[in-house]
Amino acid sequence: NNGTMTVQDVLLDNTGQFLALTLNTNNFTATTSSLLTHEFTNTSTIYRQLLTSTGTISIDATSTIQADGRGLLTGWTSNGSSGQTFWAGDRSGGSHGGRGGGQDNGLDGSPSPYGSIPQPTEPGSGGGSNSGGRGGGVLKIIANNFTHNGVISMRGVSGTYAGGAGGSIWIITTGTVSGSGTIRTNGGNSVWTGNQNGAGGGGRVSFAYNSSVSGNSSVNLVFQAFGGIMSGNDIQAERGGAGTVYIE
């Protein structure tokens, strides 16, 4: 569903894949290996997912909200308010929160980092060359109570030559926060063992919660925005730069 769904409660139970762009609900529960995702971005449309809940969002340890590699295509980067533009980049990694690794030890550079640190809404850039990985997708969650024990992931994917950059995860909560799940926007790796390739930069994660709510004094969630790595050992290849994690 690429439109808006407004329903009382949503239960994903052993759901292989559920597509939604905007989902407004009272309670949202993902259990038994369920997956919530959004459509692949193309050269004319950037897809962003919004999940809102007035009650509780609950993700069990077997379930995921994931749009890895559903951001910008190979060779494309963000233009901010004007959308996206083709940058090619040869074998340099895609950028977003962190800069992608440059081909030839940085002599042929990746796009500059972009997007907001506290309010991230941009997809990750795709890696350069025809064999570059796609960037990560975009997710925003607005919830009262938030229980997360699974994986929320908007990673860039690995490419034969250049990795895609991580996407965006922006979560706003007002009630209780619990669980020990992972929230990640890591960059994709460069998997070719040859030389002169760049890995993808990390994306952006922002997490806002009310520390004065009982039980919220210690949040055990795991946040990641790592840059990608290279499979080879060539000194002319570069890792992707780390993205950003913002918690308030």
Side-chain angles (χ1 to χ4, degrees), residues 72-73 76-78 87 93-96 111 114 123-127 133-136 163-166:
L72 298 178
L73 283 79
W76 288 77
T77 190
S78 174
W87 70 282
S95 300
H96 180 200
Y114 56 87
S125 297
R134 291 181 58 136

Side-chain angles (χ1 to χ4, degrees), residues 42-62:
N42 54 52
T43 56
S44 60
T45 304
I46 295 176
Y47 290 103
R48 296 174 171 89
Q49 187 169 63
L50 172 64
L51 172 60
T52 69
S53 167
T54 58
T56 298
I57 290 178
S58 179
I59 305 163
D60 81 351
T62 67

Side-chain angles (χ1 to χ4, degrees), residues 91 190-197 230-234 237:
R91 295 178 180 178
S190 172
V191 300
W192 192 50
T193 56
N195 58 14
Q196 302 178 359
N197 308 303
M230 308 87 60
S231 295
N233 297 315
D234 184 63

Side-chain angles (χ1 to χ4, degrees), residues 87-112:
W87 70 282
D90 202 1
R91 295 178 180 178
S92 297
S95 300
H96 180 200
R99 189 162 191 158
Q103 179 193 9
D104 290 337
N105 201 24
L107 296 178
D108 184 4
S110 299
S112 297

